[in-house]
Amino acid sequence: MLDALWFNPNEMLIGGTWKTAVSNLPLFNPSDGSLLAEIANGSAINIDEAVTAAQVARNGKWGQLSATERGRILTKIGQKVLERVDDLAEIEAYDVGKPLAQARADAVALARYMEFYGGAADKLMGETIPYLNGYTVYTLREPHGVTGHIIPWNYPMQIIGRSVGAALAMGNACVLKPAEEACLTALAFARICGEAGLPDGALNVVPGSGIEAGAALAGNPNVQHISFTGSVHTGALVQRAAGVNVVPVTLELGGKSPQLVFNDANLTAALPFLVNAGIQNAGQTCSASSRILIQRGIYNSVRDRMAEAYCNLTVGPAMADMHIGPLISERQKALVLEFLAKGSDLTIAAQGKLHDAPNNGAYVLPTLFENVTADHPLAQDEIFGPVQVLIPFETEEEAVAIANNTDYGLVAGIWTADGARQMRLAKSLRAGQIFINNYGAGGGVELPFGGIGKSGHGREKGFEALYGFSTLKTIAAHHG
Ligand code: NDP
């Protein structure tokens, strides 16, 4: 098991040195509940050390590299990630419980982020601004300095790629606090960065608990930007802690994302997206489409086709590479089972089936509820499990009202052949990303991503992230 490891799981990286912590935390395999490894329980002192190391890197070799040189290093990291894709996929499958093929796709996405941000590092330019006679005015994009990255357990590699990749591209020095339930690929990535020539201290990785290490990073006065992905509750705590130091925060907090299916939709094209967007990564996806809004004329047909697809979904251990793996933990399983209990007044259209799943794994059957009202808790709250609700609607106006009637606003999908309706809905739906006749666009490293409302604020991914991970300086020269 985990033959692929080429680093010590119980170490952390601070200023280019791999260190052990004063204490360790257990890391469990969600597929069978077994102990996978002991990981470092990074302390608030370790976070302080990592922030200091990042400051040293900013003021030293890393800070002196040109944008082009930074880009070259990031591109090389991407190449090295590609060489280790199978190893990274295996580590992630054991650690997160992701089916192997999905873990592999995440590793490839990590490489793609590094390639993208490697190429983008020297492409973000300032402007010259026409001003009063006798002045030349221009702007410079500069790194914040030290950036803190607090990430969750659901897509460690992808979230490292999009946040650390963009931050490094702009010349920031990063302190990464991965989730205690899934930190192995963060450590593996840090090793790869060193092999690719990333200077010491440009990336520091301190695993540990959110309550100690995460909170210490969020409230550290020497950090100039925090990027957080996770729950609304913790995001609000992080924003409050950073606010004390007037530090800007990017929050990516999940959603309750709908897909709207109209009578004229191409159902054959839609069906795989309707199902996969809900059950991918066992539904533990911030952009999971957990609400499917269906126009009355095709409601029965869509329900029947989705139910048939659900009956064919198999759940099993990550390494067996079924459609769905276990949830990350018993804790997450208990949360999802609580939601399923809240649906006891609803009709289940279909459920998937278990396949050779060990007793101690955190497995939950994918469950499709039908005829759900828009205000039901299962249609309002983020479940973060393989659960979808079907909500019928009559008119376009009603569909928009239902779609916009949650606290969240991350992603929405529209399935219709009517071009004018596509344009109207793209404007009226409250979400940071809209997909027309698709959902997710294959991951979209290049596509700016983030939410409104309780889904958070700020944008990661794409070129847009580079604005978030930098600050603008205006220079006005008076020369007469
Ligand atoms: P959290 O939001 O608590 O965890 C996300 C990250 O924040 C982890 O690294 C965690 O550390 C860290 N953290 C926890 N507390 C603090 C704190 N006080 N200050 C700073 N950092 C902190 O998510 P959970 O793992 O508890 O999951 C609970 C729910 O959150 C899920 O059911 C789901 O609804 C939602 N969620 C949403 C995600 C998304 O992608 N939008 C991702 C994950 C969860 P550690 O885990 O090491 O303690």
Side-chain angles (χ1 to χ4, degrees), residues 233-365:
H233 172 75
T234 306
L237 290 179
V238 166
Q239 178 159 312
R240 207 171 302 151
V244 171
N245 301 311
V246 199
V247 166
V249 176
T250 300
L251 295 181
E252 203 277 272
L253 308 179
K256 194 70 192 170
S257 299
Q259 292 189 72
L260 284 58
V261 194
F262 287 84
N263 288 340
D264 64 351
N266 177 343
L267 290 191
T268 306
L271 193 71
F273 289 90
L274 298 180
V275 175
N276 290 341
I279 58 96
Q280 183 181 313
N281 205 34
Q284 304 165 116
T285 304
C286 47
S287 55
S289 179
S290 48
R291 295 185 295 155
I292 308 296
L293 281 48
I294 309 165
Q295 202 163 18
R296 280 275 178 214
I298 52 161
Y299 179 82
N300 287 346
S301 164
V302 175
R303 180 204 53 207
D304 292 348
R305 291 169 79 161
M306 285 186 71
E308 190 187 343
Y310 260 71
C311 291
N312 290 323
L313 289 175
T314 48
V315 183
M319 295 306 283
D321 211 9
M322 303 282 114
H323 302 106
I324 300 176
L327 301 184
I328 184 71
S329 61
E330 282 298 323
R331 181 182 66 118
Q332 191 64 22
K333 177 177 168 180
L335 277 177
V336 174
L337 291 181
E338 256 177 55
F339 274 108
L340 290 180
K342 284 184 194 168
S344 58
D345 57 331
L346 299 172
T347 305
I348 292 178
Q351 284 189 305
K353 49 184 180 290
L354 282 181
H355 176 91
D356 287 342
N359 286 338
N360 293 332
Y363 299 98
V364 171
L365 289 183

Side-chain angles (χ1 to χ4, degrees), residues 150-154 159 177-181 208-211 213-216 218 228-232 234-235 237-238 252-255 284-286 331-332 335 382-384:
I150 302 171
I151 68 165
W153 37 261
N154 55 344
I159 297 172
K177 206 300 278 177
E180 63 187 282
E181 284 163 332
S209 76
I211 289 173
F228 172 85
T229 303
S231 64
V232 176
T234 306
L237 290 179
V238 166
E252 203 277 272
L253 308 179
Q284 304 165 116
T285 304
C286 47
R331 181 182 66 118
Q332 191 64 22
L335 277 177
E382 184 176 51
I383 299 174
F384 236 59

Side-chain angles (χ1 to χ4, degrees), residues 62 181 202 212 373:
W62 175 240
E181 284 163 332
E212 178 159 1
T373 53

Side-chain angles (χ1 to χ4, degrees), residues 158-171:
Q158 293 218 31
I159 297 172
I160 289 168
R162 77 184 191 207
S163 79
V164 170
L168 289 176
M170 291 313 298

